Amino acid sequence: MKINTKIFGEIEIADEKIVTFENGIIGFPEMKRFALLHDEEKGTDVGIRFLQSLDEPAFAMPVMNPLIVKPDYNPEVEDQLLAELGEISPDDLLVLVTVSIPGDIQKMSVNLQGPIVINVEKHKACQVIVDNNGYPVKFPIYDILQAGKAGE
C-alpha cells in the first residue's frame, strides 16, 4: 500500500509490515493500522522510530525502546490487557514508549506509564497503562541521550 505521509513523503508499506491496534491508541481510538518506520541508515536499535498511522497519514508518533533510557524498565502488565495480542513468545515481544519532543528539546521525555506492546509475529499491538510500578508519564531523557552520544 502507498501512503503520502507528512514526515516521510510518499512511502510504500508492505502488508506484512502493518501492525493493528484493535482498540486504537490512547487518545486516538479511531486509528487502528500503523507501520513502524525508522531511518534505514541507523537501523532499528538506536534512537527514535515513528509509529506511522495508515488511517491518518498526517499522524506519526515518535517512539523508542525504553531500555535505551531506562535499562531496568520492566513494567508489570496484567495478562488480560494483552489477551487481544494472542500468545507472545519473548522473541516476538516488542515494547516501545512514546516520545514527547517539545519546543525546548532539553525537556524531551518518554511516557513510561503507557507502553506500546507489539506481538511482532501476529502484527497486533496495544497500548496499556501501567499504574503499579511508579513509572512517570514524563520521564526526562535529554541528558541520558546526550551522555549516550558522548560514550558515557
Side-chain angles (χ1 to χ4, degrees), residues 2 5 9 18 26-27 34-35 38 50 58 75 79 91 97 111 118 133 136 143 145:
K2 280 188 180 181
T5 69
I18 297 173
I26 295 172
F34 289 84
H38 62 275
F50 289 86
D79 290 342
D91 289 341
V97 291
N111 179 353
I118 301 173
N133 292 74
D143 290 339
L145 295 176

Side-chain angles (χ1 to χ4, degrees), residues 74-140:
N74 189 19
E76 292 177 24
V77 177
E78 294 181 31
D79 290 342
Q80 68 201 38
L81 295 175
L82 302 177
E84 67 191 64
L85 302 182
E87 192 168 324
I88 308 173
S89 74
D91 289 341
D92 292 329
L93 175 69
L94 177 61
V95 177
L96 300 169
V97 291
T98 58
V99 180
S100 174
I101 308 171
D104 180 355
I105 197 165
Q106 292 186 7
K107 293 183 180 174
M108 186 178 353
S109 64
V110 292
N111 179 353
L112 296 178
Q113 196 175 77
I116 293 168
V117 181
I118 301 173
N119 181 333
V120 176
E121 173 69 24
K122 298 194 183 311
H123 308 285
K124 291 185 174 187
C126 66
Q127 186 173 20
V128 297
I129 299 296
V130 177
D131 58 5
N132 57 349
N133 292 74
Y135 290 119
V137 172
K138 291 191 175 222
F139 179 76

